[in-house]
Amino acid sequence: MTEHTAIIHDIGYRHYEGPRLGRGNAARALALHSLRGVFGLGRTTRAKIIPFLLAAIMMLPAVVSIAVMALAKQSGIGYPSYAVAMQAVLAIFLASQAPYLVAPDLRYRVLPLYLSRPVTVLDYVGAKLAAMTAALFLLLAVPLTVMYVGELLVDLPGPPHTRDYIASVVSALLVALLLASIGLALASFTPRRGLGVASVIAFYLFTSAVSGVFFAVLSANGHEIAARWALLINPIFLVDSVQVALFGTAPSTGEGYPAGPWSALILLAVIALALTALVSRYRKAASS
């Protein structure tokens, strides 16, 4: 009989002796890391192509508008209608980046590592939501701000459109929050990025098509009030209707929206529903 002896290997493990910053700092670090990842920072060159290409496309109308203001001395594209005009680009950006934020952690089942301590499910979801909202807001607010600065430098006749610019920035924040909530909720129900991309694109195409078809059919049959309600099926038009109600801007569709606070209530209800589904999905994933 040979006697077994234990061997201790020195793998260089060292205890952390620095300050423990707690949940808040962990959530902020996760949000910042996620935001950087949305734009491909810290990732491969291939991951940077789509977000920066879409950001450049978002800038094109602003650049053209500044050129029109400088050469023709007249206003270009309106601030409140910018999100409506560029909604397809926003949808593509959301579809391409929302699955990146949620799919890998679900697919490789590393969520319990995040939730071991001190981050909770709400911290995790809040960090991902903040990152996606900030990315969409920057994608929309930067061209608006560049266009406004260009208007001030060109010095068109009459006062600058400051009120429209403020309205568009507030609307950009609402658009970002709404799209981020919906996009993350849809993408979180599958661990495969390809299916997540398809689900977000399908949602955008479905709501856009249904809104347009219902509006055309109801208008043709003389149901003008119902046709205005049908426009709210499209998330971008829903935010545009809230912008019209809050700031009195002209509807970007050329048509009116339902009067009263209903658009704002629907907006809040959709965001709450999407966030509830997102939190429920992650609670289920964390317990499995």
Side-chain angles (χ1 to χ4, degrees):
M1 298 289 293
T2 60
E3 184 177 353
H4 295 282
T5 58
I7 301 176
I8 299 177
H9 296 278
D10 183 7
I11 60 176
Y13 178 79
R14 298 174 63 184
H15 290 281
Y16 176 73
E17 298 177 353
R20 301 187 181 275
L21 302 178
R23 287 175 52 192
N25 187 77
R28 286 192 295 271
L30 179 59
L32 180 60
H33 173 74
S34 300
L35 178 59
R36 285 171 51 85
V38 168
F39 288 102
L41 303 178
R43 300 167 63 192
T44 62
T45 303
R46 183 181 177 183
K48 299 179 177 66
I49 295 176
I50 291 180
F52 279 96
L53 177 61
L54 295 177
I57 295 174
M58 286 292 296
M59 284 292 300
L60 285 179
V63 174
V64 172
S65 182
I66 293 174
V68 170
M69 288 187 287
L71 299 176
K73 296 300 180 182
Q74 62 182 17
S75 300
I77 184 173
Y79 298 100
S81 61
Y82 205 97
V84 173
M86 304 301 291
Q87 59 178 301
V89 182
L90 292 172
I92 295 173
F93 183 88
L94 177 68
S96 63
Q97 301 307 314
Y100 158 76
L101 290 180
V102 296
D105 293 344
L106 293 173
R107 183 175 184 179
Y108 298 110
R109 299 182 178 180
V110 297
L111 187 60
L113 296 179
Y114 285 102
L115 304 181
S116 58
R117 63 174 185 173
V119 177
T120 65
V121 172
L122 293 179
D123 295 334
Y124 181 91
V125 172
K128 296 294 183 177
L129 177 64
M132 193 72 249
T133 301
L136 288 168
F137 177 73
L138 290 174
L139 194 70
L140 189 52
V142 170
L144 290 170
T145 303
V146 169
M147 190 164 62
Y148 180 68
V149 172
E151 180 184 358
L152 295 178
L153 294 177
V154 171
D155 193 17
L156 294 175
H161 298 82
T162 304
R163 181 180 177 84
D164 287 346
Y165 167 69
I166 295 175
S168 66
V169 171
V170 174
S171 177
L173 181 59
L174 295 177
V175 167
L177 180 58
L178 177 63
L179 294 184
S181 302
I182 296 174
L184 292 178
L186 292 173
S188 68
F189 281 93
T190 173
R192 298 186 178 276
R193 292 183 61 179
L195 294 178
V197 172
S199 64
V200 177
I201 288 293
F203 175 83
Y204 168 72
L205 294 176
F206 177 78
T207 54
S208 299
V210 169
S211 176
V213 170
F214 279 13
F215 176 79
V217 171
L218 292 172
S219 297
N221 288 276
H223 303 291
E224 298 296 335
I225 297 179
R228 294 179 178 181
W229 281 99
L231 290 174
L232 303 185
I233 299 176
N234 186 321
I236 304 296
F237 291 162
L238 176 60
V239 176
D240 186 52
S241 66
V242 175
Q243 179 181 239
V244 171
L246 290 178
F247 297 96
T249 57
S252 300
T253 59
E255 304 290 340
Y257 295 110
W262 302 110
S263 298
L265 294 177
I266 294 173
L267 176 67
L268 294 176
V270 172
I271 293 175
L273 180 62
L275 293 181
T276 300
L278 183 62
V279 172
S280 299
R281 174 70 178 96
Y282 271 100
R283 283 179 174 167
K284 181 179 179 180
S287 60
S288 60

